Amino acid sequence: MKFLKTITFIVFLLSVNTIYAQQILKKGFLVACGDDKLFIIDPAKSNDNHTEIVWSWEVKNSEGLPKEYIPLLKSLDDCKPVMNNKKILVTSSSGATIIVNIGNKKVEFYAMTPMAHSADILPKNRIVVANSTHKDGNSIELYDLLKNEKVLFRDTLYSGHGVVWNAKENLLYVLGYKHLKSYELIDWKTENPSLKLVNSWEIPDNSGHDLSRIDDENFLISTHNSVFLFNSKIKSFTPFDLLKDRKDVKSLNYSHKTNSLVYTIAEESWWTENIYMVNPMKTIKLPGLKLYKVRKAI
């Protein structure tokens, strides 16, 4: 009887831990990355004097990651919540892309990706990565979540900085130095999938930096000198009023329903220690961290 009670208690603890793990990254929480660290932040409990960190992860303490990847993850630059907010898709400009399971903090995918700046999940658990200016970069690369390090497809993209999948259109949008492009999925049910270029648009300013999705047909693009709204239905770029003419915006997260905005700006060379919010208006600080991008769980 005592043995059965012990087993029952262990099962109970495991179920509680599973539930807790699923709740770590709630809708509206922020994922921030910089240096070799990831953080999940509760913005509602954060203010100018306090940052409510509910979860953190550091490369050197990770499980499931080959040791040779540690120096390739010293400068994390994008960290997207994926798979129902249970995992984080991470890129590093030092040369790698990984997926971290939030619940157990283990690395579940890894690949060497030169000067990686952004990534996204595509159907059938495939991963697309945008690589920036590097002798082996300037590209988008396609991977399978279950096949570490194996490139399935590659296309050129000068100064790749953004990738966003839009399920409504069944199109992938990618951002480079001077162009926004869209791709369709080809041979997706086979072992040899690829991407086919559908459209390419010249953006209104040089140095395309961040690409984020607002809804089924609206996207935000940051450049060196400003931020623009792109509408995929009418294929147009217009200034984004909340950050019009704002230079060096590194990441953007906007909800048109609440008119709320979360963003980062390069304030010390390419990095910052601050996360800025609009509606509600506040600044969240991560002192001592070379923060690059922040993403909002939806």
Side-chain angles (χ1 to χ4, degrees), residues 169 173 201 216-219 230-236:
E169 299 178 298
Y173 287 85
W201 304 274
D216 291 342
E217 60 184 49
N218 291 292
F219 302 79
F230 174 75
N231 182 280
S232 63
K233 187 174 182 179
I234 60 176
K235 312 294 190 290
S236 68

Side-chain angles (χ1 to χ4, degrees), residues 27-295:
K27 291 182 180 180
F29 278 18
L30 307 179
V31 179
C33 48
D35 296 326
D36 60 349
K37 300 173 179 65
L38 292 172
F39 298 97
I40 295 177
I41 299 166
D42 182 352
K45 296 181 179 179
S46 302
N47 53 47
D48 291 358
N49 301 311
H50 170 72
T51 300
E52 185 73 11
I53 296 173
V54 300
W55 181 94
S56 62
W57 178 91
E58 193 170 359
V59 171
K60 66 180 181 181
N61 296 325
S62 63
E63 290 187 49
L65 184 70
K67 291 183 179 179
E68 61 266 28
Y69 273 77
I70 292 177
L72 303 179
L73 292 161
K74 64 183 179 181
S75 50
L76 308 184
D77 53 26
D78 203 356
C79 39
K80 289 183 179 180
V82 295
M83 299 178 178
N84 296 316
N85 293 333
K86 294 178 183 178
K87 302 177 185 183
I88 303 174
L89 178 57
V90 185
T91 56
S92 167
S93 56
S94 300
T97 297
I98 61 173
I99 287 183
V100 179
N101 184 307
I102 296 171
N104 58 24
K105 296 190 175 183
K106 291 182 179 180
V107 173
E108 296 186 344
F109 169 84
Y110 52 84
M112 294 183 182
T113 50
M115 202 65 176
H117 265 66
S118 189
D120 209 353
I121 299 290
L122 300 179
K124 293 187 67 67
N125 288 328
R126 276 144 184 176
I127 298 169
V128 61
V129 182
N131 300 312
S132 187
T133 50
H134 184 281
K135 64 182 181 66
D136 298 318
N138 291 316
S139 63
I140 55 170
E141 293 180 333
L142 184 64
Y143 295 86
D144 189 301
L145 179 60
L146 302 178
K147 299 176 181 177
N148 295 324
E149 302 182 323
K150 182 179 180 180
V151 180
L152 301 177
F153 173 82
R154 194 174 191 273
D155 197 13
T156 57
L157 176 70
Y158 180 68
S159 189
H161 266 70
V163 286
V164 171
W165 169 247
N166 188 19
K168 179 68 175 181
E169 299 178 298
N170 284 314
L171 288 175
L172 171 69
Y173 287 85
V174 304
L175 179 66
Y177 182 81
K178 190 63 180 175
H179 293 90
L180 175 69
K181 299 182 179 183
S182 66
Y183 288 80
E184 63 179 351
L185 312 182
I186 301 297
D187 297 327
W188 213 247
K189 295 182 180 181
T190 74
E191 294 297 312
N192 298 293
S194 63
L195 300 168
K196 179 182 178 182
L197 181 65
V198 177
N199 273 307
S200 180
W201 304 274
E202 186 171 320
I203 62 177
D205 184 32
N206 288 329
S207 193
H209 196 86
D210 193 43
L211 174 65
S212 62
R213 178 179 174 274
I214 298 175
D215 55 31
D216 291 342
E217 60 184 49
N218 291 292
F219 302 79
L220 282 179
I221 296 170
S222 71
T223 64
H224 177 65
N225 293 298
S226 192
V227 176
F228 300 91
L229 178 71
F230 174 75
N231 182 280
S232 63
K233 187 174 182 179
I234 60 176
K235 312 294 190 290
S236 68
F237 296 90
T238 54
F240 179 61
D241 290 339
L242 289 177
L243 289 173
K244 182 182 177 181
D245 298 327
R246 195 68 177 265
K247 291 187 176 182
D248 296 325
V249 173
K250 296 299 182 182
S251 63
L252 294 152
N253 307 262
Y254 176 69
S255 171
H256 63 85
K257 293 180 181 179
T258 59
N259 200 33
S260 61
L261 176 68
V262 181
Y263 64 100
T264 55
I265 303 175
E267 294 172 310
E268 297 287 340
S269 182
W270 50 266
W271 54 276
T272 182
E273 295 181 344
N274 301 305
I275 297 170
Y276 296 103
M277 298 182 66
V278 177
N279 294 325
M281 188 76 69
K282 66 171 68 177
T283 300
I284 298 174
K285 301 176 182 179
L286 288 166
L289 184 75
K290 290 183 178 179
L291 175 66
Y292 198 63
K293 291 188 179 183
V294 62
R295 297 299 182 194

Side-chain angles (χ1 to χ4, degrees), residues 1-16:
M1 182 64 70
K2 185 177 180 180
F3 174 77
L4 289 176
K5 287 183 178 180
T6 301
I7 294 296
T8 301
F9 182 66
I10 291 173
V11 171
F12 171 74
L13 286 178
L14 289 173
S15 64
V16 169

